[in-house]
Amino acid sequence: MSSLAKALSVAILMGAAGQSAAAINGAVVDRALVAIRQNPTATRLSAADAFSARSVTVDRNGTEHVRMDRTYGGLPVLGGDIVVHSRAGTLQDASLTLVAPINVGITPALTVDAAITAAGVQFGTGFQAVPSASLVVYARGASPKLAYDVLYAGTKTDGTPTRMHYYVDALNGAILGKEDAIKTGTLPGTGGVTGTPAPPPNVTATTGTGRSLIAGVLSLGTQWNNTRRIFEMKDPTRGNTHITDAGNGYRTEASTLVVDADNKWGNGATTDRVSAAVDASYGFAKTWDFYKEKFGREGIRGDGVGAFGAVHYSINYVNAYWSDECFCMAFGDGNGTSIRPLVTLDIMGHEMSHGLTSVTAGLIYSSESGGLNEANSDILGTMVEYYVNNAQQPPNYIIGEGLFVTPAWNKAIRWMFKPNLDGISPDCYPSPTTPSNGISLANFKAMDVHYSSGVANHFYYLLAEGAVVPEGYGAGTPANLTPSSLVCNGNTTLAGIGREAAQQIWYRALTVYMVSNTDYAGARVATLNAAADLYGAGSANHNAVAAAWDAVTMQ
């Protein structure tokens, strides 16, 4: 499989509305805290626990869902997050993965230097900043442990930045786990500003015309900066989302805002550097519009603040990534021959949806939760593509096919309806006794998240579309797929519920029920809960969720 494939990673029917941390309803949070303390068994409460609210969702029927982070003895608990579901002050349920209250000592036997050294053995010598370490409670394994969170920053061989967190047992130095903060970072340097800040500019929202590489001729949200006397690729109607040019360097924080004299951007070819920026601006705008129209969400964080994207990152960089730390994306220019700049709609929606995951469920980027993290980006990136329905980028359940200069049925990053078309990803979740595509359950849990994501992608396709072979992949084509090759349990009559209902169920499951350590079993519960909320327990859509999961599970 290509390195590209591995690297890339409506108002809800019940009227739910998410709130940013700045706008959280204090009374709702107070009721959730009371519910936690009144139900210590269900919430795995210990005497040393404290909680801080991250988001609030309130349904029309008054049910309140409060997502909280947990600390123990003042230390962050990784894997201790919880969503409290209550109504009228009475706990209905709690979403969490802790199996028992935490009971660990918080005095380390290992020194900070020893922890950094233990992590450095795995990272190697190519780090670009002084490593740091802080104490945490690591509750992502079978039992919580006191650990150091050791951070090493550097650059991978393909130019992608890495900010690798190693979790080192604070008693014996064992590596308990690791996770990269870059979803496929902040880069070297702080980007700090010196001197007296300039006063805010005098700006006016405008509409520009862009000629993109991929999406055709477009209208763009831009602004006229009356102070600088120039048009800027910044959209004040979408939270000041803006596009910068990284100058083929490695520092997104030092990239330069894209500007223009006449509000006409790009020439539709790579001979104008701005053409890729046009695609990026378009993708940011349409992803913003998708989340707002379908889910009532104002921006990735739900706080009305736009992210930014840096085009022309590095040289011959065949990748794109999202960084939670800079709240930004970076786009490579491809390899200059067979791969285009990575600014297609599905890639744009994919990367920005990593930001959504970060501020909601916070799915850990490793093992099964990491696969779900990647799948969420594929799922919602695909739904952005369908929402836009641009004839230049026809929507489908194939990820990244528009990046290839010479299209073909087998040139893509991932295929949601048949993940194993890439030759690696399993189509279905292995059972303890039955592998999927030769992959055992143990190997599935350990494999790269860009491959284990395939099972959730496959589930979503079957939920939305049913056991229907997409055009161009049926019997007699090179793929030669049949309905029986799309399911793992022989249910070739499986019917889809449509994209509108499927995306509502998935979004609610992610934002209301999933937590950082949710695995595939937990995702099944979360989507069933979401379907019951939206359409009723035992409804056709609720039953369809169960049937779709059954169809992607080895028997």
Side-chain angles (χ1 to χ4, degrees):
M1 186 181 205
S2 71
S3 59
L4 169 64
K6 182 174 179 180
L8 284 170
S9 54
V10 114
I12 291 178
L13 297 183
M14 293 185 67
Q19 294 177 291
S20 69
I24 286 176
N25 186 315
V28 175
V29 174
D30 289 343
R31 285 194 287 272
L33 290 170
V34 170
I36 288 174
R37 284 165 173 77
Q38 289 180 342
N39 298 272
T41 301
T43 60
R44 317 296 192 258
L45 180 66
S46 77
D49 284 350
F51 299 85
S52 60
R54 183 143 41 101
S55 65
V56 168
T57 301
V58 181
D59 298 336
R60 282 183 183 167
N61 67 2
T63 302
E64 299 167 348
H65 312 272
V66 182
R67 185 178 294 278
M68 292 188 167
D69 294 317
R70 185 188 310 246
T71 61
Y72 176 84
L75 300 178
V77 180
L78 307 183
D81 50 315
I82 181 173
V83 185
V84 179
H85 312 285
S86 62
R87 187 175 181 186
T90 300
L91 183 72
Q92 305 293 304
D93 197 4
S95 298
L96 72 170
T97 55
L98 276 180
V99 298
I102 299 169
N103 181 21
V104 299
I106 59 174
T107 301
L110 198 70
T111 66
V112 169
D113 288 344
I116 290 174
T117 299
V121 170
Q122 289 209 4
F123 188 84
T125 59
F127 54 90
Q128 298 171 332
V130 176
S132 62
S134 59
L135 281 172
V136 298
V137 175
Y138 185 83
R140 294 173 178 172
S143 59
K145 296 180 183 294
L146 183 68
Y148 285 101
D149 175 359
V150 180
L151 173 62
Y152 274 85
T155 303
K156 296 179 181 178
T157 55
D158 70 346
T160 304
T162 179
R163 291 180 62 83
M164 185 64 74
H165 291 263
Y166 294 93
Y167 303 108
V168 181
D169 192 309
L171 299 182
N172 59 25
I175 304 297
L176 302 174
K178 63 181 181 179
E179 178 184 14
D180 199 331
I182 300 298
K183 309 302 189 293
T184 141
T186 55
L187 301 169
T190 64
V193 178
T194 60
T196 303
N202 179 4
V203 297
T204 304
T206 55
T207 300
T209 301
R211 286 172 169 77
S212 74
L213 296 175
I214 301 168
V217 180
L218 309 165
S219 293
L220 300 179
T222 58
Q223 71 180 19
W224 168 251
N225 187 322
N226 195 50
T227 304
R228 300 177 64 194
R229 307 299 297 172
I230 201 164
F231 290 98
E232 298 173 331
M233 195 170 274
K234 178 180 283 190
D235 189 348
T237 69
R238 296 180 176 89
N240 286 324
T241 294
H242 57 285
I243 307 300
T244 64
D245 187 330
N248 298 105
Y250 290 92
R251 295 180 59 181
T252 53
E253 77 279 8
S255 56
T256 305
L257 182 65
V258 177
V259 298
D260 187 80
D262 61 4
N263 215 13
K264 296 178 181 177
W265 309 80
N267 66 356
T270 56
T271 53
D272 187 339
R273 293 178 66 85
V274 176
S275 299
V278 171
D279 282 289
S281 178
Y282 176 68
F284 266 86
K286 292 305 180 183
T287 301
W288 178 288
D289 294 346
F290 165 75
Y291 279 115
K292 182 175 181 180
E293 181 175 326
K294 298 300 182 181
F295 311 116
R297 189 178 193 88
E298 290 271 357
I300 296 301
R301 286 192 298 238
D303 59 359
V305 177
F308 81 90
V311 295
H312 306 302
Y313 176 82
S314 188
I315 298 172
N316 293 329
Y317 183 57
V318 186
N319 207 337
Y321 67 83
W322 170 271
S323 168
D324 295 325
E325 295 178 346
C326 67
F327 195 58
C328 72
M329 284 182 64
F331 312 91
D333 286 333
N335 59 13
T337 54
S338 60
I339 304 295
R340 295 183 174 124
L342 285 86
V343 287
T344 58
L345 276 171
D346 55 356
I347 299 303
M348 298 282 299
H350 172 106
E351 298 299 345
M352 280 183 274
S353 294
H354 277 307
L356 171 70
T357 302
S358 174
V359 299
T360 56
L363 290 163
I364 301 157
Y365 207 55
S366 63
S367 193
E368 293 191 24
S369 59
L372 291 167
N373 189 319
E374 270 297 310
N376 176 70
S377 284
D378 281 349
I379 289 165
L380 293 175
T382 295
M383 293 301 95
V384 168
E385 196 176 68
Y386 272 100
Y387 168 77
V388 176
N389 196 25
N390 185 314
Q392 302 295 319
Q393 298 182 73
N396 53 44
Y397 288 89
I398 306 170
I399 309 299
E401 78 287 356
L403 300 176
F404 292 83
V405 173
T406 304
W409 72 273
N410 60 348
K411 288 186 176 181
I413 297 167
R414 285 181 288 280
W415 293 260
M416 296 177 67
F417 50 88
K418 183 69 174 176
N420 195 246
L421 285 176
D422 67 7
I424 300 177
S425 300
D427 289 327
C428 298
Y429 189 87
S431 78
T433 58
T434 309
S436 174
N437 305 103
I439 298 166
S440 69
L441 181 58
N443 287 340
F444 176 82
K445 292 176 179 291
M447 74 188 313
D448 186 286
V449 298
H450 297 86
Y451 304 138
S452 61
S453 61
V455 173
N457 284 346
H458 195 187
F459 155 79
Y460 187 85
Y461 176 82
L462 294 176
L463 178 64
E465 307 294 340
V468 177
V469 178
E471 183 179 355
Y473 287 83
T477 68
N480 199 33
L481 299 182
T482 63
S484 63
S485 63
L486 296 187
V487 295
C488 301
N489 64 347
N491 184 11
T492 57
T493 63
L494 183 69
I497 64 174
R499 290 184 296 275
E500 288 298 326
Q503 69 189 8
Q504 292 296 334
I505 290 170
W506 183 265
Y507 178 85
R508 185 169 176 85
L510 175 79
T511 58
V512 174
Y513 290 107
M514 293 187 192
V515 294
S516 63
N517 214 32
T518 293
D519 57 11
Y520 269 96
R524 179 183 180 119
V525 172
T527 49
L528 284 169
N529 285 342
D533 291 346
L534 295 169
Y535 304 105
S539 65
N541 286 355
H542 184 252
N543 293 337
V545 170
W549 280 119
D550 289 344
V552 297
T553 304
M554 298 303 294
Q555 307 301 306

